Amino acid sequence: CSKGALTYVTTANIYNEVGDWEDLFAPGLAGCQGCNTELLMRHTLRRVGPDTVLATPPGCVPGMGSVGFNGTTGTKVPVFHPLLTNTAAMLAGVKRQFKRMGRDVTALAIAGDGGASDVGFQSLSGAAERGEQMLFMVVDNEGYMNTGMQRSSCTPYGAWTSTTPIGAGCSAGQPAQGKTQDAKNLPLLMVNHRCAYVATASTAYMEDLYAKLDRAIEASKTGFAYVHVYSPCTTGWRFPSDQNMEVARKAVETNFVMLWEFTPSEGLRFSRSVDDPLPVTDYLKAMGRFRHLSPEQIEHIQGKVVENSKFIQRFSEQAHGG
Amino acid sequence: MYEVRFHGRGGQGSVLASGILAAALVEEGKYAVSIPSFGFERRGAPVVSFLRASERPIRQLTNIYNPDCLICVDPTLTRSVDIFAGLKPGGTLIQATHKPLAELVLPDTVGRVGLCDAVKIALEVFRRPITNTLMLGAFAKTTGVVSLDALKRALEHSDFRDAGLAQNMTALERGYAETTVHQIERRVAA
Amino acid sequence: MSRHQSYPLFNLEQANVPDDLCPVATDISPMLPGDWRSQRPVVDRDKCVKCAVCWLYCPVQCVEEHAAWFDFNLNTCKGCGICATECPQRAITMIGEAQ
Amino acid sequence: MSTTTLEKPAVSAPKKQKVMLCEGNEAAALAVALARPDMVAVYPITPQSSLVEHVASLIADGKMDADIVDAEGEHSVLSVLQGGALAGARTYTATCGPGLAFMFEPYFRTSGMRLPIVMSIVTRDGITPQCVWGGHQDAMTVREVGWVQIYCETVQEVLDTTVMAFRIAEDHDVMLPVNICLDGNYLSYGTARIELPDQSDVDAFMGTKDVNWHVALDPLKPMAVDPLTGGAGGKGPATFVRYRKSQCRGMQNALGVIEAVHAEWAERFGRSYAPLVEEYRLDDADFAIMTLGSMTGAAKDAVDEAREAGKKVGLIKIKTFSPFPVEALMRALSKVRALGVVDRSVGFRWNCGPMYQEVLGVLYRLARESGTVLPAMSFIGGLAGADITIPHFHRVIDATERLLDGPAPTEPVWLNEND
C-alpha cells in the first residue's frame, strides 16, 4: 500500500486500505457545502466498487448531479434515476437480468428517507419480502431536503420543516410547534421483513460504517441488504456546515440514534453501547430546527429516546440474552 | 350455427363443461366458441355460460339470447332462474333431474327433452354431486350434435388426470347411457 | 471487490447509437465547485501528523496526500470547514478567500 | 456475395400448427412463451388474472424459460421490467383498469426510455362506477402516452399479434413499448379454436434478441440513464425537443413496421390480418360503420345481414389505434359517404367516443382534400361488460344510413341505454 497515514491512529486504517481506490463520483458534485450525503455516497461507492449499477431516486443524491444534467454524468458507474416510488423494483429488474446472464453485479440504491419511507415504501417492502439481491442504502436526513426541507415520515417529533412550521396558531388550535408526530422507525420495519442484513450507521463512526458496508455487500449477494444512515443536513437542520460530524456524533451519544446491525441468524446486536447516554438536549441544541422547543416537547423527545432505546434493547436481548 | 346455453351454480363446473364441449366440437373439425357470463361467480350462485358451434368460423363474440339448446346441470335451479328465456321454438332441454317428464313444467318452446338423474349417478361416481361431465354425455345422447367419442378425446386433453380423468370418463359414459330422450308433440304447429 | 478503478464511460458514437433515443449521459460532469468557497483550509505542515481524519470526513474528498502532510485540492474544495473542526491536531485553519 | 442477395431469403414452409382450444388469456400466455422473454412480472387483476396464471404455469412446467417476478403491485411490475430491459431482458406483463392507472407513473416513462416492453391490456372499464367488467376506457385513457396500442378481434388474433408485438417493439426504427389490447370478458375468457405455431418457426420469425443496444445499465458500459434534461436556456430545450421528436418519429415509423411484420407473419404462418385498418365489404358501400376489438365479429355478421336486406353498408375496423393510422383511414373513408363510429369507452371532454373524436381529425383532412364533409356520428356501447349484439349493430347501421340524407346528430347514441 502506497498510503502513508499513521497506522497507530485507527481512523487512518480506512485511508490506508481504500485511499488508493477511485472515488467513483465526478470530482465536482453540487452538494451543499459540508453535505453529509455527499460524504456518505462517495465513501459508499468507493467501497462497493465499479462492478455496480447505482440507483438514486429523486432527492439530494441525484439533485447534486450524480445522474448528471443535459448529457453529462456525475458518476463513473452506470447510474439512473428511478422514480421516487420504484427504486427497489427497478433495481431488482436490473439485478435479476444480470443474475440470469451469470454476471456478478452489485445492485446498489442510495435513496433518501422520503423516497424510502413514504412514497417508495411499497416497492421497498415488496423487494425486501421477495429477497431481491441488492444493497439498499437510505440516507436519512429526516425530510425532503432537496425540494426545500419538507416533512417526511422520518422527520422527528418537534422538528421545524417547511411544512411543519412554527406559527402563532389559529382560532381552531394550538400554536404550531414543528412536527407533531414521532418519526417512523424504518430500519426496524426492515428488520421485520427478515432481510438478509439490516444496519443503522452514522458517518461520524466511519469504521463502523465501513464494517457494515462490507457485511451488507456480502449479504446483497444472497438477499436484501438494508443500511440506514443518519445523515445530518447542514442546510435543512440549520447548523454551520463545519459542525456536521459533531451533530452526527451527538445524535449517537444521546441515543437519539442507535447503531446496530441485524441478521436473521444472529438477531439484533448493538455496534456501540447505548448505556449512559448524554441528555438529548446536547443534541437538540446543536441545531436550529429544534430552537423553538418547549420544555414539554423536550421532555417528550427525551421520553421517546428512552422508549426507543428500551424497545430496541429488547430486540437485542431476545436475540442474545433470552 | 348451433347455440347452447349452460345453466348451473358456481362451483359445479358448467363453465368447464362448456369448454370441454367446445374442445370436443373442435376435435370433430367444427368451429366452436365458448363464453362464460361474467359476474361474481361465487360457489352456489346461479351462473351461465354460452357456446356456439358451426361448420364455419364463428365471428360473434357475444352472449347468447336465443339458444337452440339449454343444458341445466342443477336440478334445483329452475326454482330461482328462468332458464327458458329466449329458447328457440322447438328447442332442446337437457335437464339433470330425478323426475319423470310428466312432472316437469315446460314452456311451449321446448320440443325435445333429455333427462338424466345426474345427481344420483354423480354421487355414485364421485361421491359428490358433480354433474357437469355427466350432462355432456346427456347432451350428446339427446342432440347428436357431438359424438361421445369426441367428448372422450376432449376429456383426455383436459386438465383432468389419473383417477379424476377415469371418474369423469365414467361419468360421461353413464350420462350418455342413462339419459332418456323425449320428443314433445305440440298440437298446434308453429 | 477486486477492482477499484472505473471502467471507461460508454461512447455512443463509437457504438453507433443515435443520440436521440433513451436520454443518456456519457461525459463526466466538468463542474468544479472550488469557486463556491468563501473560506479555504490552510494546513500547518508542522502540526499535520497524517492521521487522515480530514480525508475521512471531507464531503468532496478533495484531500491529497503529500510527503509529510495532507493538503486540499482547491478546485473542488467548497470550504465547508469540517476538516478544520475535526482535525485532532488543530492543524487546519479556515481563512477568508478575500485575504 | 453477389447482387442477388438483395432478394429476401425464402421462408421455409411452417411446421404443422397444433390445433387447440383456449381462452384469449391463455392464447396471450402461449404467445408470450413463443416469444421467449427473459423476464415476466405479474400482479393479478380481473379480468387479466387467468393470463398471468397461465404464464406462471408455463414457467412452472418448464415450457417457458423466463424469470417471473411476483411483484407487490402494478407500479413495481412495470418498474421491474424497466430495470430488466435496461439490463438487456426481453420483458412482458399484462394488466388492466385500476392496475394500469396505478402503473401510470412508470408507464409514461417506458416510452420515453424507448424500452420495447410488451404489455397486454385485458381491457376493463374505468371506475367509478365500481365495475370489474370489460370496456376500452383504461387503454383509451392512456392513448396519449407514447405506447403503440393494437386491438385484437379474435382469440387467434390475440395469439398472433402478441408474438408480433415483440418484433414491432424491438424494431430499431420503432423502439417503443407495445400494448396488445384484448377485450376483457369477451376475448379474455372467450374460448375458441386456435392454431398454435411451432416454436422453431417462431424462433426463425423473431430473429436475434437485442433489447438494450441503445441504452444499458451495465458496469462494463457506464452511462447515466435518464439524467435531468431540459430547462430554459443552454442546450436543455433543444436536447429535450430532440428526444421528443425522436419519440414521435418512432411512433410514425411503427405504422410501416406493423404492416411489414404482419406481412411477414402471413407469409410464414398463413394467417393475415389487416395490420392498421381493415376494410370489410367497403368497396361498393355507400356508408360504413367503424369498430374496434372483439365487437367486430358481431358487426360483420350484422353487415352481412344488412347487405342481404339491400343496405349498402361496409365496415372499417381499426386494429392499430396508436399510432393512429391516418393515411389508411383516409383511403377507407374516401370510399363512403357517411360513417357511424362505435366506441367501447367514452371521451368525457367531447361527449362522444374517443375513437370517433380521433376520426374527426381525419375527416377534416379528408374534407380539405375532397371538398366534401363526411357526415359522421358517435355510438357508445359495451361499457362495463355490456354486450353489443347483432341487433345493436342493426340500430347503428340504420342510424348511419339516415346520415346519407339527413342531419347528423351532435349527441352520441348510447347503445345499451335500454338493455
Side-chain angles (χ1 to χ4, degrees):
Chain A
C1 175
S2 67
K3 293 290 148 180
L6 292 171
T7 49
Y8 64 83
V9 183
T10 59
T11 48
N13 293 345
I14 298 172
Y15 177 73
N16 286 331
E17 187 188 353
V18 309
D20 272 345
W21 300 2
E22 188 173 355
D23 180 351
L24 294 170
F25 285 102
L29 291 176
C32 295
Q33 284 170 331
C35 175
N36 192 65
T37 299
E38 184 175 351
L39 171 67
L40 172 66
M41 56 199 244
R42 286 184 188 278
H43 276 290
T44 300
L45 192 56
R46 171 188 277 121
R47 186 72 196 87
V48 176
D51 287 297
T52 299
V53 174
L54 172 62
T56 76
C60 290
V61 182
M64 68 179 75
S66 48
V67 192
F69 181 52
N70 285 336
T72 62
T73 175
T75 312
K76 299 174 184 175
V77 303
V79 60
F80 67 105
H81 277 115
L83 298 162
L84 191 57
T85 41
N86 73 354
T87 309
M90 212 169 153
L91 193 57
V94 174
K95 172 68 183 185
R96 278 172 177 259
Q97 180 61 12
F98 278 109
K99 201 177 161 200
R100 184 175 167 85
M101 295 187 290
R103 285 180 54 190
D104 182 16
V105 168
T106 302
L108 171 67
I110 305 182
D113 55 286
S117 69
D118 290 341
V119 75
F121 183 68
Q122 176 171 318
S123 75
L124 172 64
S125 173
E129 181 268 332
R130 293 191 302 275
E132 302 286 359
Q133 296 170 4
M134 67 177 74
L135 198 178
F136 198 101
M137 174 178 279
V138 168
V139 185
D140 184 3
N141 54 21
E142 302 182 342
Y144 294 90
M145 298 309 167
N146 185 56
T147 47
M149 302 163 255
Q150 297 87 2
R151 160 215 205 272
S152 80
S153 57
C154 284
T155 302
Y157 170 89
W160 168 91
T161 69
S162 59
T163 50
T164 55
I166 313 306
C170 62
S171 59
Q174 299 288 316
Q177 292 293 316
K179 194 187 176 199
T180 53
Q181 303 85 14
D182 292 297
K184 178 189 282 186
N185 194 324
L186 191 54
L188 271 191
L189 282 170
M190 300 318 289
V191 166
N192 276 324
H193 285 72
R194 302 296 188 272
C195 299
Y197 184 73
V198 182
T200 61
S202 163
T203 45
Y205 297 80
M206 271 298 177
E207 288 163 284
D208 183 60
L209 172 63
Y210 264 85
K212 285 171 176 172
L213 272 178
D214 286 348
R215 296 198 70 183
I217 292 166
E218 196 53 39
S220 76
K221 297 190 184 308
T222 56
F224 197 90
Y226 178 87
V227 178
H228 191 102
V229 186
Y230 293 95
S231 189
C233 171
T234 168
T235 309
W237 296 11
R238 299 181 168 175
F239 60 81
S241 62
D242 69 295
Q243 290 299 303
N244 211 324
M245 291 306 118
E246 188 54 24
V247 170
R249 209 173 281 124
K250 279 287 182 294
V252 174
E253 288 171 354
T254 59
N255 274 358
F256 192 85
V257 160
M258 283 159 277
L259 303 182
W260 48 262
E261 63 183 353
F262 165 88
T263 65
S265 58
E266 295 165 16
L268 190 146
R269 177 186 79 80
F270 286 100
S271 56
R272 185 190 176 281
S273 170
V274 293
D275 300 334
D276 304 321
L278 298 174
V280 77
T281 45
D282 284 14
Y283 172 64
L284 300 176
K285 71 185 181 196
M287 64 202 100
R289 65 171 172 158
F290 292 120
R291 188 176 296 137
H292 58 278
L293 293 181
S294 66
E296 291 76 22
Q297 284 179 299
I298 292 172
E299 198 178 328
H300 172 95
I301 295 169
Q302 184 68 68
K304 281 291 165 188
V305 165
V306 172
E307 181 186 310
N308 283 338
S309 164
K310 283 183 179 163
F311 190 79
I312 300 171
Q313 268 179 295
R314 278 200 293 276
F315 264 90
S316 166
E317 284 157 13
Q318 279 162 10
H320 301 287
Chain B
M1 186 86 78
Y2 190 83
E3 298 184 323
V4 181
R5 190 168 67 207
F6 284 80
H7 288 273
R9 295 184 185 279
Q12 289 178 335
S14 53
V15 173
L16 182 68
S18 172
I20 290 171
L21 177 51
L25 290 159
V26 168
E27 283 276 339
E28 293 187 328
K30 295 191 175 76
Y31 290 86
V33 171
S34 157
I35 296 179
S37 69
F38 344 110
F40 292 98
E41 289 93 354
R42 300 307 187 206
R43 192 164 289 272
V47 296
V48 185
S49 82
F50 310 103
L51 179 133
R52 286 192 174 87
S54 175
E55 301 293 334
R56 297 186 300 126
I58 299 160
R59 295 191 299 203
Q60 282 182 71
L61 275 173
T62 60
N63 297 342
I64 289 169
Y65 301 90
N66 301 111
D68 297 279
C69 177
L70 303 167
I71 302 178
C72 183
V73 307
D74 185 287
T76 64
L77 204 60
T78 47
R79 289 189 312 218
S80 52
V81 180
D82 177 13
I83 67 166
F84 299 104
L87 181 66
K88 278 187 189 139
T92 302
L93 168 70
I94 323 288
Q95 175 72 53
T97 182
H98 67 276
K99 290 179 183 167
L101 181 64
E103 286 181 32
L104 298 180
V105 182
L106 302 176
D108 290 347
T109 45
V110 177
R112 177 186 283 251
V113 180
L115 299 181
C116 179
D117 193 355
V119 173
K120 188 196 84 178
I121 303 171
L123 288 172
E124 290 168 11
V125 176
F126 300 104
R127 304 193 187 285
R128 284 191 294 152
I130 311 167
T131 54
N132 56 347
T133 37
L134 268 150
M135 295 305 288
L136 290 179
F139 172 78
K141 172 80 163 286
T142 309
T143 65
V145 166
V146 70
S147 69
L148 184 61
D149 267 359
L151 282 170
K152 285 179 173 175
R153 288 199 300 276
L155 208 52
E156 277 166 8
H157 295 152
S158 72
D159 290 337
F160 291 121
R161 292 283 174 273
D162 307 326
L165 179 61
Q167 282 175 325
N168 276 286
M169 280 293 179
T170 307
L172 193 58
E173 284 165 355
R174 288 191 63 181
Y176 188 89
E178 297 174 40
T179 292
T180 57
V181 182
H182 310 269
Q183 194 69 33
I184 297 176
E185 301 300 331
R186 297 288 171 204
R187 281 193 299 273
V188 186
Chain C
M1 289 291 152
S2 52
R3 189 185 170 95
H4 308 298
Q5 299 299 316
S6 60
Y7 297 96
L9 285 172
F10 185 67
N11 187 314
L12 286 176
E13 223 167 292
Q14 271 176 18
N16 201 21
V17 173
D19 68 351
D20 60 0
L21 291 172
C22 180
V24 296
T26 51
D27 294 318
I28 203 80
S29 166
M31 191 271 281
L32 295 172
D35 55 2
W36 295 19
R37 226 172 28 244
S38 58
Q39 287 190 307
R40 72 165 71 192
V42 176
V43 182
D44 181 338
R45 296 178 187 183
D46 294 332
K47 286 188 180 171
C48 177
V49 299
K50 299 187 71 175
C51 67
V53 165
C54 54
W55 173 85
L56 203 61
Y57 294 134
C58 172
V60 299
Q61 294 286 282
C62 71
V63 179
E64 293 173 346
E65 183 182 348
H66 293 257
W69 75 98
F70 278 57
D71 216 325
F72 306 95
N73 181 342
L74 294 178
N75 290 321
T76 49
C77 171
K78 296 175 190 169
C80 68
I82 289 177
C83 53
T85 301
E86 295 300 321
C87 177
Q89 309 301 320
R90 316 302 302 163
I92 302 167
T93 317
M94 299 303 290
I95 63 163
E97 277 291 346
Q99 292 167 21
Chain D
M1 293 198 289
S2 73
T3 52
T4 57
T5 51
L6 284 174
E7 280 180 28
K8 285 182 67 181
V11 173
S12 56
K15 296 198 176 58
K16 193 171 168 8
Q17 303 191 34
K18 181 183 169 191
V19 173
M20 60 182 289
L21 197 93
C22 69
E23 60 168 26
N25 276 348
E26 185 175 6
L30 290 168
V32 173
L34 286 171
R36 297 189 189 272
D38 299 286
M39 191 179 293
V40 175
V42 300
Y43 187 84
I45 182 168
T46 302
Q48 161 264 36
S49 297
S50 66
L51 198 169
V52 297
E53 289 164 11
H54 283 300
V55 168
S57 293
L58 286 166
I59 293 172
D61 291 343
K63 292 173 181 162
M64 184 172 168
D65 174 24
D67 189 355
I68 184 166
V69 186
D70 294 281
E72 79 290 345
E74 292 87 350
H75 193 284
S76 284
V77 160
L78 191 53
S79 304
V80 164
L81 297 189
Q82 288 180 346
L86 285 164
R90 179 175 285 161
T91 57
Y92 171 82
T93 189
T95 191
C96 69
L100 180 59
F102 182 41
M103 190 187 271
F104 185 75
E105 196 187 15
Y107 184 81
F108 195 105
R109 204 180 190 205
T110 313
S111 52
M113 291 201 292
R114 311 298 293 270
L115 299 179
I117 294 171
V118 172
M119 176 168 89
S120 302
I121 301 181
V122 189
T123 59
R124 170 170 162 179
D125 214 320
I127 49 177
T128 269
Q130 181 67 256
C131 119
V132 297
W133 299 281
H136 293 154
Q137 197 71 46
D138 50 3
M140 283 293 161
T141 301
V142 296
R143 67 190 184 277
E144 207 52 271
V145 186
W147 285 57
V148 173
Q149 294 187 315
I150 302 176
Y151 286 74
C152 298
E153 178 183 336
T154 65
V155 174
Q156 182 75 61
E157 193 174 15
V158 167
L159 188 136
D160 294 346
T161 312
T162 303
V163 180
M164 284 190 269
F166 289 91
R167 273 280 304 272
I168 296 162
E170 293 172 18
D171 189 287
H172 281 209
D173 289 335
V174 179
M175 291 306 289
L176 286 171
V178 175
N179 285 142
I180 299 304
C181 304
L182 58 148
D183 290 6
N185 302 137
Y186 293 97
L187 263 182
S188 63
Y189 305 149
T191 300
R193 174 190 184 279
I194 59 152
E195 294 172 11
L196 186 68
D198 190 79
Q199 181 68 59
S200 62
D201 291 325
V202 174
D203 288 346
F205 168 78
M206 292 299 292
T208 49
K209 177 163 50 186
D210 187 12
V211 172
N212 66 341
W213 58 277
H214 65 307
V215 55
L217 284 171
D218 183 336
L220 301 180
K221 298 196 259 182
M223 65 177 91
V225 173
D226 209 5
L228 280 176
T229 302
K235 66 184 216 178
T239 308
F240 197 90
V241 168
R242 191 174 78 234
Y243 288 120
R244 273 287 183 269
K245 277 184 75 176
S246 165
Q247 256 182 288
C248 291
R249 196 164 56 244
M251 203 65 167
Q252 290 307 304
N253 291 346
L255 289 166
V257 171
I258 291 167
E259 288 186 303
V261 170
H262 276 70
E264 189 183 329
W265 184 268
E267 191 183 356
R268 287 181 182 272
F269 300 100
R271 285 188 295 276
S272 54
Y273 308 93
L276 307 175
V277 173
E278 179 180 345
E279 300 180 7
Y280 181 74
R281 304 191 78 165
L282 200 65
D283 283 337
D284 62 340
D286 285 338
F287 65 103
I289 63 173
M290 182 181 286
T291 61
L292 184 68
S294 72
M295 70 169 85
T296 308
K300 285 173 177 169
D301 284 355
V303 165
D304 285 1
E305 290 178 11
R307 281 281 185 160
E308 279 176 33
K311 293 176 192 291
K312 297 193 77 175
V313 59
L315 181 145
I316 300 169
K317 180 190 85 169
I318 299 224
K319 176 166 184 180
T320 298
F321 190 82
S322 299
F324 203 62
V326 176
E327 301 300 329
L329 257 183
M330 295 266 287
R331 287 194 293 277
L333 289 172
S334 66
K335 296 176 181 175
V336 294
R337 294 189 289 121
L339 178 70
V341 180
V342 185
D343 273 281
R344 201 160 212 148
S345 59
V346 307
F348 292 104
R349 298 167 308 135
W350 279 50
N351 189 28
C352 65
M355 182 162 70
Y356 172 79
Q357 183 192 335
E358 301 272 352
V359 168
L360 291 181
V362 182
L363 293 181
Y364 166 75
R365 278 191 50 181
L366 197 63
R368 278 212 322 194
E369 289 184 13
S370 70
T372 55
V373 177
L374 195 75
M377 63 186 288
S378 171
F379 299 86
I380 294 170
L383 302 183
D387 206 355
I388 317 181
T389 61
I390 291 174
H392 287 119
F393 280 112
H394 282 305
R395 278 174 55 201
V396 173
I397 290 167
D398 292 348
T400 307
E401 188 180 32
R402 285 195 291 274
L403 296 179
L404 290 171
D405 40 32
T410 52
E411 297 270 314
V413 173
W414 301 78
L415 293 176
N416 304 101
E417 197 168 19
N418 300 312
D419 286 2

